[in-house]
Amino acid sequence: DSDSIVVIDTLRKMVSPFVKDKNCGAVAGNIRVLNTEAAFIPKMLDVSFALSFEFIRAAQSKLNAVLCTPGALAAYRRDAVFASLEDWINQKFMGKPSDIGEDRAMTNMILKQGRNVLFQRDAYAYTNVPESYKGLYKMFIRWSRSNVRETIAMAKYVFTDFRNESKVGPRLLFTSQALTLLLSYPFTLFMLYFILSHPILFLSSTLFGILVFSSFPALFYAKRYNWTKSFWAYAYSILYTFALFWITPYAIATASRSGWLTREI
């Protein structure tokens, strides 16, 4: 991405998985936040990105099925790209050209070929992220809309004989993604009912849940990078729970819309 800085030796390290694994079709780099000193939101996202890449994508890589190679830093095998190029360029969703989530779409098409998609932890790029709430929710809406589209696309091949290697991993990852989407409306309705019927219990139980479940990303970040900055994991969870919970239901309802959103496009 044009708003990202690549660390020295990153490109060399990105090539390594292709050399070791001849069936590797794409590699996801490790993304950190560049503008952490600009505002509170980038500080929160830096902790979130650490977990998203160095734990979640690392786990997906063990299954040879990273679901998204990030636009900020990704590498692709030439043959794998050209095998998907026509479908990628002409991809449509609900009758409209797909012009967002191009990184997720390319990754999905490479996985469909039976290729492996891996994560390279020591290949770093630092990227600018939104500094305002408005910019943040627009970015998340774009990501969520592409996630809806690509989860549907993945459903069309993931239970077929699409690869020679074990298909259990990709199927488990797909199931997790699909359940997140399918349960978003029931969960939101239950949450609203809980708020109206037992507001104090909802608030206390939610805050306790945030304390418990945010401790893992906090400890993970503390071990990897910085102890004092790890506490932003709790702030991010509070922000997401109370101010961004609506993103997935809204993205599902508006999945046919496109536009970059964060760059006035």
Side-chain angles (χ1 to χ4, degrees):
D1 281 353
S2 60
D3 58 356
S4 303
I5 295 176
V6 180
V7 176
I8 293 174
D9 286 343
T10 285
L11 298 183
R12 180 180 62 81
K13 291 173 180 176
M14 289 287 282
V15 173
S16 177
F18 295 112
V19 176
K20 295 177 65 176
D21 182 356
K22 299 303 180 182
N23 193 40
C24 177
V27 177
N30 194 356
I31 308 302
R32 298 292 308 281
V33 174
L34 179 62
N35 54 328
T36 52
E37 300 305 315
F40 292 145
I41 287 177
K43 295 179 190 295
M44 298 179 194
L45 288 178
D46 191 45
V47 180
S48 174
F49 277 25
L51 185 75
S52 175
F53 284 90
E54 298 187 27
F55 182 78
I56 295 176
R57 278 178 175 79
Q60 292 175 352
S61 187
K62 291 293 185 182
L63 302 173
N64 295 326
V66 173
L67 296 183
C68 182
T69 52
L73 180 64
Y76 302 95
R77 190 179 292 276
R78 181 182 183 276
D79 293 344
V81 171
F82 275 83
S84 301
L85 196 57
E86 184 175 353
D87 290 337
W88 185 73
I89 292 173
N90 298 310
Q91 185 184 26
K92 291 185 177 181
F93 181 70
M94 299 180 71
K96 298 179 181 179
S98 301
D99 60 359
I100 58 173
E102 71 288 345
D103 48 2
R104 176 77 192 276
M106 178 59 74
T107 308
N108 212 4
M109 292 176 184
I110 290 175
L111 284 171
K112 185 180 179 180
Q113 296 175 31
R115 303 264 193 170
N116 296 331
V117 180
L118 306 175
F119 169 66
Q120 187 71 355
R121 194 183 81 83
D122 60 356
Y124 287 97
Y126 288 78
T127 192
N128 285 302
V129 298
E131 298 171 9
S132 67
Y133 172 70
K134 184 177 181 180
L136 182 65
Y137 76 66
K138 283 186 174 183
M139 181 180 74
F140 281 169
I141 288 171
R142 186 178 76 242
W143 288 357
S144 294
R145 284 174 178 163
S146 67
N147 184 46
V148 173
R149 182 192 71 212
E150 295 307 318
T151 300
I152 293 172
M154 195 173 186
K156 297 176 181 179
Y157 72 83
V158 73
F159 292 106
T160 67
D161 190 24
F162 70 99
R163 69 191 304 178
N164 295 324
E165 298 179 21
S166 173
K167 293 171 275 292
V168 174
R171 288 171 180 173
L172 287 174
L173 295 174
F174 163 78
T175 301
S176 175
Q177 293 281 313
L179 285 176
T180 300
L181 297 177
L182 291 172
L183 295 176
S184 63
Y185 280 105
F187 178 80
T188 302
L189 291 173
F190 173 76
M191 184 184 72
L192 293 175
Y193 170 77
F194 199 8
I195 292 172
L196 293 174
S197 59
H198 305 285
I200 296 176
L201 179 60
F202 169 79
L203 183 62
S204 59
S205 61
T206 300
L207 290 175
F208 178 74
I210 288 173
L211 177 64
V212 173
F213 291 106
S214 297
S215 293
F216 178 74
L219 291 171
F220 184 86
Y221 189 88
K223 183 177 180 180
R224 290 283 195 187
Y225 296 107
N226 186 289
W227 174 259
T228 57
K229 294 180 180 179
S230 68
F231 290 99
W232 286 109
Y234 299 99
Y236 177 75
S237 292
I238 292 172
L239 175 67
Y240 197 95
T241 300
F242 293 102
L244 296 169
F245 69 90
W246 54 273
I247 295 290
T248 299
Y250 179 77
I252 294 172
T254 61
S256 63
R257 297 184 188 177
S258 58
W260 200 255
L261 299 178
T262 51
R263 295 185 181 179
E264 304 304 324
I265 299 175

